Amino acid sequence: MNIAATTGSIAPELQRYAALDQRLLAAVRGIHVLPTVAWPASLESRMIEAYSRGQFALPQVSYVRPDLGAARAELAAIEHAATSDAQVDPLGDYLQRTADSWLMAAEMLEAVGTVGVTVPSVALYGRPDDLIPGSTQSNLDAARYFIALSDELGADLLADDSSTGIPADVLRMDLAATLDDFFGAGTISVEVDAELTAKAAAGATRIRLRGGACFSEYDRHQLLAHEAFVHSLTALNGRRQPLLASLARTSPRVTATQEGLAVFAELMSGAIDITRLKRISLRIVAIDMALKGADFVEVYRYFSACGQSVPDSFHSAQRVFRGVPLTGGAAFAKDNVYLSGLLTVHTFFRWALKQRRMDLLRHLFAGKLTLHDVITLQPHFASGAILPPRWLPPWMQHVHGLAGKLAFSVFINGIHMNRVQGDELLSSV
């Protein structure tokens, strides 16, 4: 099948899927996960000041619960229509899975402020005790390993925090110049947002920095590797897709792959260190604590005891309790995906190298895709119905260097450290 995808034409036999995809995009237009569960910046400021004085009351948070009944009805219709084709064409499978994940997200948001958020949140983002693919270890096991290793190596979160010194306005100008050089002038804007909860956030054409925050040179590298060269880059590549316009938007089901790929990009570009892994890992332990009954103050104190500053401890605890009661037994599980996604993406890269399928790795950047999608949609990549990525991260453009790192990783994984003796190493050099 020869499809002139570059001209935007879609083969007649695929137009049904393109139409369903457009319906899906229209249906989810009013579903906004993170804005719905976000806390006001003014509340954060007041509570951080109180916590700094040792006044540890539970924050009083209210949410606006959206009415997504019409969206759910349309998504259910799309899912039903796509399910009938799921065994016939992988496009049907893609649409069915995507519609189903948006349905779960809608149900989650309609329960915002209640314990009802937890079940769909876990369904979308996983649990800390989920097993890592190909391993008998869980995400929680991995988190505890990286926390212990960080402590053994002497990583100091407070010292890391004190190294910040680049104001948001200065970083904004620096990032804007770098992104103009890479993507073209004006393709991605960089803005300072005083209401932003996270330190930074990225969309297809805009990166926001939290107003009043100071950043380190390490933060700069992480923002480029994680936000710009994965989140923004995959969105821009997705916007070029003539068949599946939804590849430009992060559906709930692709969150784990997107965040895992972004953290993997930090690893490959040298923009991650053991402190960053500890931060990610602490959040997984905190989610586990909250699910088992710990309240907001207990989780805050856990982060504080692990070396985080008052603002960082508050923001870390806040991430765990977005959209749920603060009294314990509930959690917003999104932060589970950063470490589990990293480990799964890393395994996928090693597997693809072993299979000599570098094309699968490049296709990961063609839009907002899961690892499952990259494999099942290969016939449509081959036909040209789905376009290859226009942009690749700098570390992916040097294929031989990437292959070298992965080849070393594949081989070294076969060396079992519990069998290595120190005297053997000394006698071998």
Side-chain angles (χ1 to χ4, degrees):
M1 180 168 54
N2 183 19
I3 301 173
T6 54
T7 64
S9 63
I10 299 173
E13 63 268 29
L14 301 183
Q15 288 175 2
R16 164 179 165 77
Y17 301 108
L20 280 175
D21 190 64
Q22 290 293 334
R23 282 179 60 188
L24 186 148
L25 278 178
V28 305
R29 194 169 290 131
I31 302 176
H32 305 286
V33 174
L34 295 184
T36 302
V37 301
W39 294 13
S42 56
L43 170 66
E44 295 174 22
S45 299
R46 292 197 307 271
M47 295 307 301
I48 289 171
E49 183 178 348
Y51 276 42
S52 298
R53 297 194 302 265
Q55 299 172 350
F56 298 118
L58 292 178
Q60 298 298 311
V61 187
S62 60
Y63 300 96
V64 177
R65 192 172 298 170
D67 179 2
L68 300 172
R72 286 190 290 104
E74 173 67 349
L75 285 166
I78 294 168
E79 181 184 22
H80 177 75
T83 300
S84 62
D85 289 342
Q87 300 298 319
V88 178
D89 193 291
L91 291 171
D93 177 69
Y94 166 85
L95 290 165
Q96 183 270 324
R97 290 170 181 263
T98 304
D100 181 61
S101 77
W102 280 112
L103 267 172
M104 281 191 283
E107 293 168 2
M108 178 177 72
L109 296 182
E110 287 186 321
V112 70
T114 75
V115 295
V117 167
T118 299
V119 170
S121 171
V122 166
L124 290 171
Y125 308 123
R127 293 181 59 93
D129 54 8
D130 287 342
L131 294 182
I132 299 164
S135 172
T136 59
Q137 304 271 342
S138 69
N139 299 327
L140 191 58
D141 293 329
R144 288 171 174 157
Y145 167 80
F146 286 116
I147 292 169
L149 181 61
S150 175
D151 292 339
E152 289 171 11
L153 294 176
D156 189 336
L157 291 175
L158 291 176
D160 182 66
D161 289 342
S162 66
S163 66
T164 60
I166 306 174
D169 286 325
V170 174
L171 183 60
R172 182 195 66 78
M173 292 186 290
D174 177 70
L175 291 178
T178 301
L179 297 176
D180 282 350
D181 288 342
F182 186 88
F183 291 104
T187 303
I188 297 178
S189 65
V190 185
E191 304 172 3
V192 175
D193 184 349
E195 292 293 314
L196 188 63
T197 300
K199 203 167 185 179
T205 59
R206 182 176 64 155
I207 291 178
R208 292 178 293 155
L209 308 175
R210 190 169 71 215
C214 279
F215 299 80
S216 67
E217 188 62 26
Y218 161 75
D219 290 327
R220 175 186 179 276
H221 289 308
Q222 183 188 331
L223 282 167
L224 286 172
H226 185 114
E227 303 290 353
F229 295 145
V230 173
H231 292 324
S232 295
L233 180 146
T234 51
L236 287 170
N237 284 330
R239 286 188 170 195
R240 298 179 65 251
Q241 296 295 344
L243 177 60
L244 296 174
S246 62
L247 291 179
R249 180 161 186 184
T250 303
S251 67
R253 64 182 285 265
V254 306
T255 302
T257 298
Q258 271 287 298
E259 297 298 353
L261 185 60
V263 179
F264 182 76
E266 295 177 46
L267 185 66
M268 289 294 102
S269 59
I272 197 170
D273 60 14
I274 194 65
T275 297
R276 166 73 164 155
L277 286 174
K278 181 176 181 178
R279 286 182 184 276
I280 294 169
S281 300
L282 289 174
R283 295 171 187 170
I284 293 176
V285 175
I287 292 171
D288 186 63
M289 290 174 60
L291 289 173
K292 291 177 178 176
D295 67 17
F296 182 90
V297 173
E298 291 173 300
V299 171
Y300 165 86
R301 284 177 166 150
Y302 169 71
F303 284 113
S304 180
C306 291
Q308 291 193 3
S309 65
V310 172
D312 280 354
S313 296
F314 186 90
H315 285 128
S316 295
Q318 174 197 15
R319 294 175 69 98
V320 175
F321 286 93
R322 288 176 287 185
V324 302
L326 278 63
T327 50
F332 183 68
K334 179 177 180 289
D335 278 351
N336 187 68
V337 305
Y338 290 87
L339 185 57
S340 64
L342 167 63
L343 295 170
T344 304
V345 167
H346 192 282
T347 300
F348 180 78
F349 267 72
R350 292 172 54 229
W351 173 84
L353 176 70
K354 189 172 182 179
Q355 301 297 317
R356 292 170 172 78
R357 292 297 306 273
M358 293 295 291
D359 59 314
L360 295 178
L361 304 183
R362 287 188 289 270
H363 290 162
L364 261 179
F365 297 92
K368 305 292 186 177
L369 295 156
T370 67
L371 303 180
H372 173 90
D373 296 333
V374 169
I375 294 173
T376 60
L377 292 174
Q378 278 305 299
H380 294 295
F381 277 105
S383 71
I386 301 178
L387 299 178
R390 161 67 177 81
W391 292 282
L392 287 172
W395 56 272
M396 271 295 294
Q397 295 176 18
H398 306 290
V399 177
H400 294 296
L402 174 64
K405 291 179 183 178
L406 293 173
F408 185 81
S409 174
V410 169
F411 180 81
I412 211 71
N413 190 59
I415 299 176
H416 300 282
M417 292 305 296
N418 60 347
R419 301 178 188 173
V420 176
Q421 303 296 322
D423 53 358
E424 289 180 317
L425 295 175
L426 291 174
S427 64
S428 67
V429 295

